[in-house]
């Protein structure tokens, strides 16, 4: 009788899953000083917002309430950090920020804890905003448990590039460094850690938006926001279990992005997704003008879908002609149904 | 120490006045004392969380080992039963079905070591499609359950159990009964032919034992919750010992006293032991069929039933061959047939209703041990006039027995 072997193969897979939390979050050779991580969120299979998803993919119990998750994607949308400004003798503006690398746990899905590495305790990190030509100083302190850097996308000298082995290179736990460069070129950019091994240093949360406004400014928008597309690899494999925009899966399903009818909406869209080659953005019931990398003043495309590889970004401008709720999501259904989808809610003008 | 000194010591301790001064402690206290002390020490260790050892586990992340024991599908719902086989508690926090986060309920929010939980996932699965169900744990780990081709798991109602019972009759009772129709042929056979047939019986019993062990191992591959392969081996050992005990008891009874027990087993006892062994084996076989059918991995076609019938007919022959020289009455034959065949009914019903891999593996082990023990018991009957057990005829019989079982076994590879 050779039957039950077949049964085991076909219908009753005996799968052993041996997991440890992803590399480096508890056992580390770098016992760096610095503030202790934020208290861990409850690890039970807790409920989320409790908002029903009416036929969409979603977590049992809805997305995690932002205050419990430790991430508020809605607040991140319009949170542009312009830094501390002062005037230089030559009349230019000096902008300064303090960025601190911190280990911190987040509850990214009801009951699922993610041991993240952050800039200033948030994923994505602060969106730094500057005007073209400003002098920028970013005072970086590493209060994490591993060496880190900040690598800015922009035009600057090699030693300010945040690359290990060049200039200050890797910043060890407990150490710091001030990155200094000019705000050029204008556009929608990003920054991230460039410490090796690079994939976990990015994927664990060390990234953020970096917006440089043209010197002459852009036509004023009624509503300007940043959307950082990311993912979470929670089991240490080579793929992501969760996908999000601004850090919390399914958040904008439960808390739609509030916009007004006919208002000019400008979105800085940045893809930092690790482990997957391409990400995308699609909007329902509307089209947008797309400015690749935001480095030109005229759009290159009028479309409803764009794709971006890791590090690619661009600017979207659109107006919603009708009130109502409109979905937006990665036009890669897998990402969408694993968290990267949401709604715009357009209120009548 | 020199011999002399030892002598002196022994002599010293043997002085009548010294040890007799205190009354010896009662025996039960000597037995229970260490037990109480062990409990006390372990209690303190547990209470104090392993003094000075607490920091050992501090930096060790929790280890999550979870095995999938059962997957059942009904319209719009996928039920996955998992068991925690690791040392740390595990919480299933989210479920994604082929890259789609789905809502679900579960019987346990936190699964302690060795506990199981059934996760019911709301998902409109499509007939025939493959699925990968990932249970995401609270630390982000994934437990994967795979469905090769989705099909509704049969409802477990009255008609289902009737069907399972009927299945047991088809694959257990009827083939064994048919096999026993060789009784007259066996009875009329002469010595060498009987020995050949007994060889065939030994061969097929040996095959059944090996097959059951292999099957049991396959069932618990990667599932160490309850000992894994040990469950099979212990089952086999227990069955063999039990049958050996029963055999010894029956031999003692036959001659009216333990001292005068005969060295060999009576043919009718042997036939009974063969029937019991095959019955245990068919219990395991029924379990496997029932569970395979219940999880939708087995299509019960006529070909399969015929295959089983051919495969199991030989078992009937195995029961009657020891009785060549001692023809039994019809009632006894029927009883033997039922002992060997009817457990398949019980197995099929059990397998389809309460499937548990480790338990099934243990039962398969029991069957293996039983048939192996019986095969060994039969060996003395193979002896020919010259006292040889392994004569050309018996060796040929053993090989034929194994070959027939192997060949007919190919018919039922579902």
């Amino acid at each position: 009788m050779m039957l039950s072997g077949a049964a085991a193969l076909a219908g009753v897979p005996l799968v052993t899953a041996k997991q440890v939390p992803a590399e480096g979050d508890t056992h580390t050779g770098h016992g760096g000083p610095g503030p202790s991580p934020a208290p861990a969120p409850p690890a039970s299979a807790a409920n989320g917002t409790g908002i029903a998803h009416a036929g969409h993919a979603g977590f049992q119990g809805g997305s995690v309430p932002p205050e419990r998750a430790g991430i508020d994607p809605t607040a991140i949308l319009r949170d542009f950090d312009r830094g501390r400004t002062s005037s230089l003798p030559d009349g230019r503006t000096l902008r300064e920020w303090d960025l601190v690398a911190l280990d911190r746990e987040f509850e990214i899905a009801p009951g699922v804890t993610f041991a993240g590495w952050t800039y200033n305790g948030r994923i994505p990190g602060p969106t730094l905003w500057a005007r073209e030509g400003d002098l920028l100083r970013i005072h970086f302190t590493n209060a994490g448990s591993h060496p880190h850097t900040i690598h800015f996308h922009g035009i600057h000298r090699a030693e300010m590039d945040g690359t290990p082995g060049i200039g200050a290179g890797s910043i060890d736990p407990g150490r710091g460094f001030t990155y200094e460069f000019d705000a050029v070129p204008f556009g929608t950019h990003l920054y991230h850690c460039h410490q090796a091994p690079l994939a976990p240093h990015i994927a664990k949360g060390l990234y953020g938006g970096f917006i440089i406004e043209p010197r002459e400014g852009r036509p004023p928008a009624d509503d300007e926001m940043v959307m950082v597309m990311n993912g979470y690899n929670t089991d240490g494999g080579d793929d992501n279990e969760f996908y999000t925009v601004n850090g919390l899966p399914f958040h904008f399903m439960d808390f739609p992005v509030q916009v007004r009818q006919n208002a000019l909406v400008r979105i800085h869209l940045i893809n930092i997704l690790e482990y997957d080659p391409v990400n995308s953005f699609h909007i329902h019931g509307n089209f947008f003008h797309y400015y690749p990398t935001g480095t030109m003043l005229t759009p290159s495309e009028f479309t409803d879908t764009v794709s971006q590889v890791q590090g690619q970004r661009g600017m979207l401008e659109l107006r919603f002609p009708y009130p109502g709720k409109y979905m937006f999501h990665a036009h890669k259904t897998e990402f969408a149904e694993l968290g990267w989808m949401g709604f715009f809610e357009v209120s009548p003008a | 120490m020199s011999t002399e000194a030892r002598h002196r010591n022994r002599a010293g301790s043997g002085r009548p006045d010294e040890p007799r001064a205190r009354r010896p402690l009662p025996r039960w206290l000597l037995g229970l004392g260490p037990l109480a002390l062990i409990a006390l020490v372990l209690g303190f260790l547990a209470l104090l969380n392993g003094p000075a050892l607490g920091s050992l586990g501090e930096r060790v992340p929790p280890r999550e080992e979870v095995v999938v024991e059962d997957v059942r599908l009904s319209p719009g719902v996928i039920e996955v039963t998992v068991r925690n086989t690791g040392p740390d508690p595990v919480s299933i926090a989210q479920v994604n079905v082929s890259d789609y986060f789905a809502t679900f309920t579960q019987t346990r929010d936190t699964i302690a070591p060795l506990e199981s939980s059934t996760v019911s996932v709301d998902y409109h699965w499509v007939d025939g499609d493959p699925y990968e169900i990932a249970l995401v744990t609270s630390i982000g780990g994934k437990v994967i359950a795979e469905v090769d081709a989705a099909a509704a798991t049969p409802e477990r109602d009255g008609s289902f159990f009737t069907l399972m019972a009927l299945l047991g009759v088809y694959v257990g009772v009827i083939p064994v009964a048919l096999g026993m129709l060789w009784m007259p042929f066996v009875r009329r056979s002469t010595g060498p032919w009987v020995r050949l047939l007994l060889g065939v019986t030994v061969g097929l019993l040996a095959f059944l034992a090996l097959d059951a062990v292999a099957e049991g191992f396959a069932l618990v591959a990667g599932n160490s919750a309850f000992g894994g392969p040990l469950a099979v081996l212990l089952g086999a050992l227990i069955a063999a010992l039990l049958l050996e005990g029963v055999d010894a008891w029956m031999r003692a009874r036959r001659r009216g006293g333990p001292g005068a027990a005969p060295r060999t087993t009576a043919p009718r006892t042997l036939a009974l032991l063969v029937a019991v062994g095959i019955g245990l084996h068919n219990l395991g076989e029924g379990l496997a069929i029932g569970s395979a059918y219940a999880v939708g991995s087995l299509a019960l076609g006529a070909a399969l039933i015929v295959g089983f019938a051919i495969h199991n007919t030989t078992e009937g022959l195995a029961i009657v061959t020891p009785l060549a020289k001692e023809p039994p009455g019809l009632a006894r034959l029927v009883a033997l047939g039922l002992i060997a065949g009817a457990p398949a009914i019980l197995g099929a019903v059990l397998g389809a209703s309460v499937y548990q891999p480790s338990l099934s593996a243990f039962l398969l082990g029991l069957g293996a041990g039983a048939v192996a023990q019986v095969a060994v018991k039969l060996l003395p009957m193979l002896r020919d006039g010259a006292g040889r057990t392994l004569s050309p005829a018996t060796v040929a019989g053993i090989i034929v027995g194994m070959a027939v079982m192997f060949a007919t076994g190919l018919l039922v590879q579902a």
Side-chain angles (χ1 to χ4, degrees):
Chain A
M1 228 295 287
M2 303 174 190
L3 185 78
S4 59
L9 284 177
V12 193
L14 293 160
V15 188
T16 305
K18 294 179 195 208
Q19 292 103 10
V20 294
E23 172 266 323
D25 48 87
T26 46
H27 43 94
T28 163
H30 308 277
S36 52
S44 66
N47 277 336
T49 56
I51 299 169
H53 285 128
H56 293 285
F59 296 137
Q60 176 69 27
S63 64
V64 188
E67 61 277 12
R68 205 174 80 210
I71 299 173
D72 187 348
T74 299
I76 289 170
L77 270 183
R78 300 181 179 91
D79 181 13
F80 293 91
D81 187 343
R82 288 155 197 263
R84 301 185 299 276
T85 54
S86 53
S87 286
L88 295 166
D90 63 359
R92 292 165 71 201
T93 301
L94 168 69
R95 288 181 195 272
E96 293 177 272
W97 293 271
D98 296 318
L99 254 57
V100 182
L102 278 172
D103 295 355
R104 185 180 168 187
E105 291 194 337
F106 300 92
E107 190 182 349
I108 55 170
V112 180
T113 303
F114 179 74
W117 297 347
T118 74
Y119 291 119
N120 290 8
R122 42 175 277 185
I123 298 177
T127 305
L128 309 186
W129 187 98
R131 191 174 289 281
E132 186 186 7
D134 292 346
L135 178 64
L136 312 181
R137 278 192 194 134
I138 300 98
H139 306 288
F140 174 53
T141 308
N142 184 359
S145 51
H146 284 251
H148 296 302
T149 76
I150 310 180
H151 163 72
F152 283 87
H153 285 227
I155 300 171
H156 46 245
R157 302 160 66 89
E159 52 270 28
M160 292 299 159
D161 192 50
T163 303
I166 297 172
S170 302
I171 311 301
D172 281 329
R175 310 296 294 269
F177 181 70
T178 296
Y179 297 94
E180 181 178 316
F181 46 82
D182 293 338
V184 280
F186 76 77
T188 299
H189 306 308
L190 71 157
Y191 63 89
H192 59 86
C193 180
H194 213 293
Q195 179 65 38
L198 192 49
H201 278 260
I202 291 178
K204 283 174 174 292
L206 291 170
Y207 42 78
F210 174 39
I211 313 297
I212 301 179
E213 180 88 348
R215 190 172 274 121
E216 298 77 20
R218 297 183 193 271
D222 301 302
D223 201 350
E224 189 157 352
M225 51 187 80
V226 68
M227 290 190 179
V228 178
M229 302 186 285
N230 74 338
Y232 296 109
N233 173 9
T234 59
D235 69 348
D238 60 357
D239 61 351
N240 294 295
E241 278 66 49
F242 301 90
Y243 295 83
T244 95
V245 64
N246 282 0
L248 202 53
F250 297 121
H251 171 83
F252 292 117
M253 293 298 284
D254 297 341
F255 305 97
V257 179
Q258 300 295 325
V259 292
R260 292 193 68 79
Q261 187 180 4
N262 293 327
L264 176 62
V265 178
R266 179 175 293 148
I267 301 168
H268 297 276
L269 180 72
I270 299 164
N271 178 34
I272 191 61
L273 182 67
E274 190 63 66
Y275 304 113
D276 288 288
V278 183
N279 209 334
S280 54
F281 176 102
H282 165 63
I283 191 153
H284 284 209
N286 213 340
F287 268 58
F288 54 82
H289 288 285
Y290 188 63
Y291 301 75
T293 324
T295 45
M296 283 180 293
L297 296 171
T298 48
S300 69
E301 203 179 1
F302 188 55
T303 180
D304 64 358
T305 307
V306 285
S307 60
Q308 294 180 346
V309 300
Q310 189 189 38
Q312 207 173 357
R313 64 278 180 190
M315 222 179 68
L316 287 62
E317 284 185 351
L318 69 161
R319 296 174 195 270
F320 289 89
Y322 307 112
K325 277 173 84 173
Y326 300 92
M327 278 198 89
F328 69 110
H329 57 85
H331 219 307
K332 163 79 173 153
T333 312
E334 175 198 352
F335 300 177
E337 297 196 320
L338 292 177
W340 178 173
M341 59 186 193
F343 282 109
F344 282 97
E345 190 164 23
V346 184
S347 52
Chain B
M1 191 191 289
S2 71
T3 324
E4 214 179 320
R6 219 182 302 151
H7 276 282
R8 221 179 298 133
N9 271 359
R10 210 179 288 161
S13 65
R15 269 199 304 253
D17 51 349
E18 199 187 300
R20 300 288 150 87
R22 274 181 297 165
R23 274 190 55 192
L25 293 168
R27 205 173 70 93
W28 63 266
L29 191 62
L30 294 177
L32 286 182
L35 201 65
L37 205 61
I38 288 167
L40 201 68
V41 169
L42 292 186
F44 266 111
L45 278 178
L47 206 64
L48 301 175
N49 201 15
L53 297 180
S55 59
L56 271 184
E58 248 170 26
R59 283 171 171 271
V60 180
R63 203 166 95 220
E64 295 188 334
E65 286 176 36
V66 177
V67 295
V68 176
E69 291 198 334
D70 201 3
V71 180
R72 289 177 183 272
L73 290 89
S74 54
V77 179
I78 301 175
E79 271 187 2
V80 182
T81 301
V82 292
R83 186 173 298 277
N84 181 0
T85 62
D88 297 310
V90 174
S91 300
I92 305 295
Q94 295 300 333
V95 175
N96 98 48
V97 180
S98 296
D99 292 329
Y100 174 103
F101 276 113
T103 55
F104 66 98
T105 56
Q106 56 187 336
T107 52
R108 281 197 172 93
D109 282 347
T110 300
I111 316 168
L114 289 185
E115 274 184 353
S116 71
S117 175
T118 298
V119 181
S120 304
V121 188
D122 302 318
Y123 189 86
H124 291 281
W125 51 271
V126 177
D127 221 32
D129 280 3
Y131 291 100
E132 182 186 276
I133 301 125
L135 311 179
V136 182
T137 70
S138 57
I139 59 168
K142 274 191 297 194
V143 180
I144 308 285
E146 273 167 0
V147 174
D148 290 345
T153 310
E155 288 285 334
R156 281 170 282 183
D157 52 12
S159 67
F160 172 70
F161 286 120
T162 311
L163 180 69
M164 284 298 111
L166 196 60
L167 188 64
V169 171
Y170 282 164
V171 305
V173 179
I174 292 178
V176 170
L178 287 176
M180 292 173 80
L181 293 177
W182 270 304
M183 184 69 225
F185 166 73
V186 171
R187 216 161 74 191
R188 296 265 293 277
S189 298
T190 52
W193 276 102
V194 170
R195 281 194 292 279
L196 178 84
L197 286 174
L198 281 166
V200 171
T201 300
V202 169
L204 70 89
L205 289 175
F207 175 89
L208 289 182
L210 293 176
D211 189 41
V213 168
E215 244 178 75
F217 282 0
L219 271 189
V220 289
N223 184 347
S224 60
F226 297 106
L230 262 187
V232 183
L233 298 177
L234 288 178
L237 192 63
I238 288 169
L241 287 173
L242 278 180
L243 283 193
E244 192 64 41
V246 167
D247 175 41
W249 177 70
M250 290 180 87
R251 268 183 287 149
R253 230 176 52 139
R254 195 154 53 122
R255 289 291 162 89
R263 299 220 357 245
T264 57
T265 307
R268 51 166 47 194
T269 309
L270 263 181
L272 178 64
L273 289 179
V274 172
V276 168
I278 287 176
L280 281 173
H281 172 80
N282 280 339
L283 177 69
E285 194 165 75
L287 270 177
I289 298 170
S291 58
Y293 180 66
V295 300
S297 74
L298 178 61
L300 291 172
L304 190 77
I305 301 295
V306 170
F308 268 115
I310 295 172
H311 187 60
N312 288 2
T313 301
T314 47
E315 295 173 354
L317 176 70
I319 297 167
V320 293
T321 36
L323 298 172
K325 303 279 158 47
E326 243 184 62
L330 187 64
R332 174 168 280 267
L333 270 182
V334 169
L336 288 174
L338 284 178
I339 288 171
I345 302 172
L346 180 67
V349 172
L350 276 181
S353 44
V354 285
Y355 179 72
Q356 213 288 323
S358 297
L359 182 63
S360 296
F362 177 73
L363 290 173
L364 281 170
L366 279 185
V371 291
Q373 194 268 351
V374 173
V376 171
K377 282 278 146 195
L378 282 175
L379 286 177
M381 291 188 78
L382 299 186
R383 218 168 281 149
D384 60 10
R388 286 182 308 172
T389 302
L390 292 178
S391 62
T394 57
V395 168
I398 292 170
I399 291 172
V400 166
M402 289 199 286
V404 165
M405 291 310 276
F406 180 80
T408 56
L410 296 181
L411 294 176
V412 292
Q413 283 197 37

